[in-house]
Amino acid sequence: MANVPTIFDESPLNIFDPFDVFSGFAKNLMKTDIRETDKGYELAIDLPGFKKEEISAELKDGYLTVSASKSHKEEEKKEGHLIRQERSSGSCARTFYVGEGVKQSDCKAAYENGILTVCIPKVTKEEKAAKQMISID
């Protein structure tokens, strides 16, 4: 069987590692670059193959959680016999601490060409109140 095409997955070079936590779907997803600017932070998150509707970003208690979910169920109805399926369904998520004072209304996000860009403003720490002396009569 030396001339069998690799689409049948019988090549000795295709080794499955059951202990590889990131095998398959999530192996190259959600790689993130974080850039600090004068005004805030910019996160560039790789999410190739996702539609904008499959991605969500939530800000709660100072944590930004970005998640994405993909399903290929509608493609199962297609005519013909599936020989090999490398695209998988599933979900992935990452959480970043952005600070307690960050408001959802101040954050901006855009998705283009498989990259989600999230802009988080810097929150200035409120200056500690000056000592207020109480006069003693």
Side-chain angles (χ1 to χ4, degrees):
M1 285 211 153
N3 293 329
V4 176
T6 58
I7 64 166
F8 294 106
D9 205 18
E10 293 182 4
S11 170
L13 299 176
N14 292 333
I15 299 171
F16 172 71
D17 182 3
F19 300 105
D20 184 4
V21 177
F22 296 105
S23 65
F25 182 69
K27 188 172 188 175
N28 292 313
L29 292 180
M30 307 217 51
K31 290 186 177 180
T32 305
D33 294 338
I34 302 172
R35 180 178 318 275
E36 181 179 10
T37 65
D38 292 337
K39 295 180 180 181
Y41 300 95
E42 182 179 293
L43 286 74
I45 305 169
D46 283 351
L47 291 167
F50 285 96
K51 296 176 185 172
K52 185 172 88 170
E53 300 80 30
E54 298 170 330
I55 302 169
S56 66
E58 177 186 14
L59 184 62
K60 184 177 179 183
D61 298 329
Y63 289 91
L64 170 70
T65 300
V66 177
S67 57
S69 180
K70 179 168 278 304
S71 176
H72 293 290
K73 289 183 180 179
E74 62 270 355
E75 293 184 17
E76 292 175 3
K77 298 176 185 175
K78 287 187 176 179
E79 187 178 328
H81 178 70
L82 186 62
I83 296 173
R84 179 178 177 145
Q85 184 171 3
E86 292 183 347
R87 299 178 306 145
S88 58
S89 298
S91 61
C92 55
R94 263 189 101 174
T95 301
F96 303 90
Y97 181 74
V98 295
E100 297 284 332
V102 175
K103 297 177 185 171
Q104 176 265 335
S105 58
D106 296 334
C107 300
K108 306 236 184 293
Y111 183 67
E112 187 177 352
N113 297 327
I115 299 173
L116 176 67
T117 305
V118 182
C119 296
I120 309 284
K122 283 185 180 177
V123 177
T124 57
K125 294 182 180 179
E126 294 179 15
E127 293 182 22
K128 291 183 179 178
K131 289 184 181 179
Q132 296 183 10
M133 303 300 289
I134 300 173
S135 62
I136 302 173
D137 295 351

